[in-house]
Amino acid sequence: MYFDPKDGMRPPPFKHSVYNALVVPRPIGWISSISRDGAINLAPFSFFNALAGAPPCVMYCPNGFKTGTKEDKDSLINVRETGEFVYNMCTIDLLDAMNATSAHVPSSVDEMKAAGLEAAPCEQVKPPRVKNTPIAMECKVLQIIDLPANEGTPPNHMVIGQVVGIHVDDDVIVDGMIDARKVKPLARLGYLDYAAIMPENVFSVPRPD
Ligand SMILES: Cc1cc2nc3c(=O)[nH]c(=O)nc-3n(C[C@H](O)[C@H](O)[C@H](O)COP(=O)(O)O)c2cc1C
């Protein structure tokens, strides 16, 4: 089949918006930020990725408004105010906590505490990182780009940050490399589906040259 996205994301026979199932698996950027008043925010973003390596940059997309409101998401408001955020790796062990932090709660709520997570301090930015994640990257905002929004729909944005500090749990370093078998990253598929990189799914392929 073929369809034009301007006719909507649910052409027959699709029962739900299909877009989230078209680019999979997607990494989950679990983004911590802090408000001007010091409230800690944590939320998952699967419109997330690494962009460049030298210097390292990442991006995430806070799209739409908070459910049932006409307010931007806290993960956008906070970085506009402070210019800082932290990428936390989401692993299979953190699935339930990650899902809990996708709930829309008042911006004054400490979302790390609410999800039963311990916060750890960062070196160069104010927002804390998730203590139990094996990988976290401290970021300073480079640019916030407005993305097109369909008529009558709330705005979409891309936040690009430069990585200024990297935390790696020593336990996931094996033979001088990060071992994905130990990290067990979580990925988002379409709809409400996820996949985890489990040890038996990891393999190496030598380059041809
Ligand atoms: C796995 C997962 C991925 C998500 N990815 C995105 C995303 O890429 N962009 C987005 O705007 N919302 C995404 N959401 C929804 C946000 O996490 C949710 O709107 C969150 O409450 C935003 O919180 P905030 O207002 O504290 O920033 C995702 C939710 C889940 C569970």
Side-chain angles (χ1 to χ4, degrees):
M1 70 178 290
Y2 167 83
F3 67 98
D4 185 329
K6 81 172 170 343
D7 299 328
M9 278 293 167
R10 211 191 297 186
F14 294 121
K15 294 183 189 159
H16 307 279
S17 172
V18 73
Y19 185 64
N20 273 343
L22 297 176
V23 181
V24 293
R26 289 192 303 285
I28 298 170
W30 206 11
I31 303 298
S32 45
S33 60
I34 196 164
S35 73
R36 222 176 354 215
D37 304 334
I40 295 169
N41 193 81
L42 181 65
F45 291 87
S46 65
F47 293 132
F48 164 85
N49 225 312
L51 293 177
C57 296
V58 298
M59 70 86 190
Y60 68 96
C61 296
N63 293 335
F65 289 138
K66 286 189 210 175
T67 303
T69 75
K70 292 210 163 157
E71 290 166 36
D72 286 329
K73 294 188 177 182
D74 294 326
S75 306
L76 176 64
I77 296 170
N78 290 351
V79 294
R80 271 195 189 131
E81 289 180 355
T82 66
E84 297 180 339
F85 66 93
V86 179
Y87 155 76
N88 300 275
M89 162 74 79
C90 186
T91 66
I92 184 70
D93 299 337
L94 294 165
L95 168 65
D96 291 339
M98 180 280 296
N99 197 30
T101 60
S102 72
H104 293 99
V105 295
S107 49
S108 55
V109 172
D110 178 334
E111 291 196 63
M112 280 206 198
K113 212 184 253 174
L117 293 162
E118 222 178 306
C122 283
E123 302 285 333
Q124 299 195 52
V125 299
K126 253 198 183 160
R129 62 197 165 93
V130 173
K131 191 175 177 190
N132 286 350
T133 182
I135 295 170
M137 302 203 282
E138 303 179 11
C139 303
K140 299 238 186 205
V141 173
L142 287 175
Q143 214 180 331
I144 299 176
I145 297 174
D146 291 345
L147 299 174
N150 287 337
E151 211 186 318
T153 64
N156 301 313
H157 307 272
M158 174 162 61
V159 178
I160 303 175
Q162 182 168 335
V163 177
V164 294
I166 299 176
H167 301 260
V168 181
D169 182 346
D170 295 335
D171 286 350
V172 302
I173 304 175
V174 178
D175 288 338
M177 292 186 279
I178 292 181
D179 189 343
R181 293 170 189 83
K182 291 195 157 226
V183 175
K184 300 192 206 91
L186 188 69
R188 187 176 184 189
L189 305 176
Y191 315 108
L192 298 176
D193 297 339
Y194 293 87
I197 306 292
M198 300 309 273
E200 61 275 21
N201 302 130
V202 178
F203 51 88
S204 299
V205 179
R207 293 276 180 98
D209 48 14

